[in-house]
Amino acid sequence: MSLGLAPEYIIPLEKGHQRSAFDCGNDDLNRYLKQQARQDAEKYAAAPFVLIESAAPIVRGYYTLSSSRIPLDELPTDLARKLPRYAYLPVTLLGRLARDKTIPDPGLGELLLLDALHRSLQHARQIAAMAVVVDAKDEQAERFYKHFHFLPFQQTPLRLFLPMKQIEKLFS
């Protein structure tokens, strides 16, 4: 089944996007998209991006980005030594990422992640962010992010990061 999906169809969430049928299998992620995502966007609390079909504004996946910070002492020592000695460092938080489970293509999650990383890199060139951080919802999500070389924080289980330098190499 071809949905006519391409990266140019990952766009900021708009009022006219159809979200009611979205089901990723996780009630919290479904509820967020359907009830809170637009409010967060309007209040600049998070920037939701949605994957839609080329022919219709039906949401098939989404992710959110926002600014955040991390304590320097959470990073592995070898990386922390190469960074400025600030107590906290700026990062981009990939807060949520989900794809509709009714779509048979498991590559949609990867497409969403790569788009999020690319946007984060563009953002980091304008407003500093030394990494992208994710809070994996469970061990399956943790494995997904580790497949893309995300690294664990030292003290926080299921919290992972990918340094912007690595992201830059992905897109060079």
Side-chain angles (χ1 to χ4, degrees), residues 23-152:
D23 183 9
C24 68
N26 180 298
D27 290 339
D28 290 336
L29 293 171
N30 291 338
R31 186 174 22 263
Y32 176 81
L33 176 66
K34 295 173 184 179
Q35 298 174 7
Q36 188 177 342
R38 284 229 337 108
Q39 294 172 21
D40 280 1
E42 290 172 2
K43 295 175 182 172
Y44 299 99
F49 294 89
V50 294
L51 175 75
I52 61 168
E53 295 183 26
S54 59
I58 299 169
V59 175
R60 298 301 187 186
Y62 79 97
Y63 65 83
T64 63
L65 297 175
S66 59
S67 296
S68 190
R69 65 184 193 157
I70 56 170
L72 179 65
D73 63 3
E74 277 272 339
L75 296 173
T77 307
D78 59 329
L79 177 61
R81 282 189 194 128
K82 299 174 187 174
L83 296 169
R85 295 282 182 236
Y86 300 127
Y88 293 91
L89 295 167
V91 296
T92 298
L93 176 66
L94 174 54
R96 293 170 180 83
L97 186 147
R99 70 170 189 87
D100 195 311
K101 70 179 185 178
T102 63
I103 306 302
D105 182 2
L108 293 182
E110 185 175 325
L111 177 67
L112 288 162
L113 176 60
L114 291 174
D115 191 80
L117 294 176
H118 189 257
R119 282 184 204 272
S120 298
L121 178 61
Q122 292 173 326
H123 169 83
R125 290 180 174 144
Q126 297 169 5
I127 300 173
M130 60 76 53
V132 171
V133 172
V134 297
D135 291 302
K137 301 291 182 200
D138 53 32
E139 289 179 4
Q140 181 181 355
E142 180 185 32
R143 283 191 303 275
F144 172 78
Y145 291 115
K146 283 186 173 181
H147 175 76
F148 294 97
H149 307 287
F150 277 75
L151 305 167

Side-chain angles (χ1 to χ4, degrees), residues 155-169:
Q155 302 165 13
T156 312
L158 298 180
R159 188 158 228 219
L160 308 161
F161 72 99
L162 188 61
M164 206 56 72
K165 290 288 187 189
Q166 283 185 252
I167 296 169
E168 192 172 41
K169 289 176 186 175

